[in-house]
Amino acid sequence: FKILFLFSLISSIIRTNSLYFARIIQSKPGLLWNVDLGFTLSHSQNVLQYGSLKNSLTMSGMSEAYHIGPSYIYGILSSYFKLGVDILSLFLLPTIFFCAFIFASKMIVNTFLNNKKYVLLISSFICFTPGLFLGEPNLRTILNSSLIIKNFAYNLPFQFSTMQNSMFAGSAILCIFYFLISSFKKNIYLIFSTS
């Protein structure tokens, strides 16, 4: 079960970073999986260059708040550590968010089950299908047999790596939930800072 968990964790981390590697291998720095990543990179570059989103095309004149949380983190860290926004937003931080998500879920399952084999088996399953816990599919989708193959074989393995906000928020929510169930009094500061 340990080998299964390590294999699923490593393969999921590679999948999480697939866009970063695809951009390098194909020599296409403009390659994006979806529009959301374009917003993230654009916002991050604005934060890096100007310190805010006042000069952002998508932010000028409107109060659009989509992708701002992670974008501020990428832009600020990029200015301090002198790393490119690409490596931070497509490689390093998604890896950290994904690992926090998996290990928090592993600790939650361990708290409830306290059986090493089941914890590793369930955690391995979560590595392959984290989208189950961040959004679609809902119960109606799972019960519809024609959509099961599409959702489980295609959408879920790739969904979380293209929606960085979901993974960012999901890792924070799972960490808070673990802090709450393990010991509210001991973890009050951690709960507050993670929130």
Side-chain angles (χ1 to χ4, degrees):
F1 286 108
K2 286 181 182 178
I3 293 171
L4 174 67
F5 175 70
L6 285 174
F7 171 75
S8 59
L9 181 66
I10 290 169
S11 66
S12 296
I13 289 172
I14 291 169
R15 195 174 65 227
T16 302
N17 300 316
S18 60
L19 176 60
Y20 180 74
F21 295 127
R23 288 162 65 111
I24 292 172
I25 292 168
Q26 297 179 22
S27 299
K28 294 180 179 176
L31 179 66
L32 296 172
W33 292 157
N34 62 20
V35 172
D36 296 337
L37 288 170
F39 281 126
T40 300
L41 291 170
S42 174
H43 290 335
S44 301
Q45 287 290 359
N46 272 279
V47 171
L48 174 64
Q49 191 168 4
Y50 302 111
S52 72
L53 290 169
K54 287 180 186 174
N55 297 318
S56 172
L57 290 176
T58 57
M59 293 298 291
S60 71
M62 57 180 17
S63 59
E64 181 185 318
Y66 200 48
H67 295 280
I68 290 177
S71 298
Y72 264 104
I73 293 171
Y74 303 148
I76 291 168
L77 290 177
S78 184
S79 68
Y80 280 107
F81 293 112
K82 305 301 179 208
L83 291 170
V85 168
D86 285 8
I87 194 166
L88 281 170
S89 63
L90 300 176
F91 183 73
L92 290 176
L93 291 174
T95 301
I96 291 169
F97 298 154
F98 178 75
C99 289
F101 181 87
I102 293 302
F103 285 106
S105 61
K106 186 174 180 250
M107 291 186 296
I108 290 167
V109 172
N110 189 38
T111 302
F112 288 123
L113 294 180
N114 202 13
N115 182 324
K116 218 172 199 176
K117 288 181 183 178
Y118 288 126
V119 168
L120 291 173
L121 186 65
I122 292 170
S123 298
S124 300
F125 176 72
I126 293 170
C127 281
F128 282 112
T129 59
L132 266 176
F133 309 97
L134 296 175
E136 295 251 354
N138 53 36
L139 189 59
R140 181 184 58 81
T141 308
I142 292 172
L143 296 176
N144 185 343
S145 60
S146 64
L147 296 175
I148 290 175
I149 293 173
K150 180 182 178 239
N151 280 326
F152 282 89
Y154 181 75
N155 286 339
L156 290 179
F158 301 100
Q159 177 185 28
F160 75 99
S161 61
T162 59
M163 283 300 294
Q164 295 174 348
N165 284 353
S166 298
M167 186 52 62
F168 177 67
S171 60
I173 290 167
L174 282 178
C175 287
I176 291 169
F177 184 67
Y178 173 71
F179 296 147
L180 285 170
I181 63 172
S182 62
S183 174
F184 179 77
K185 288 182 181 178
K186 285 182 183 177
N187 297 322
I188 188 81
Y189 176 73
L190 291 171
I191 292 167
F192 177 74
S193 61
T194 306
S195 298

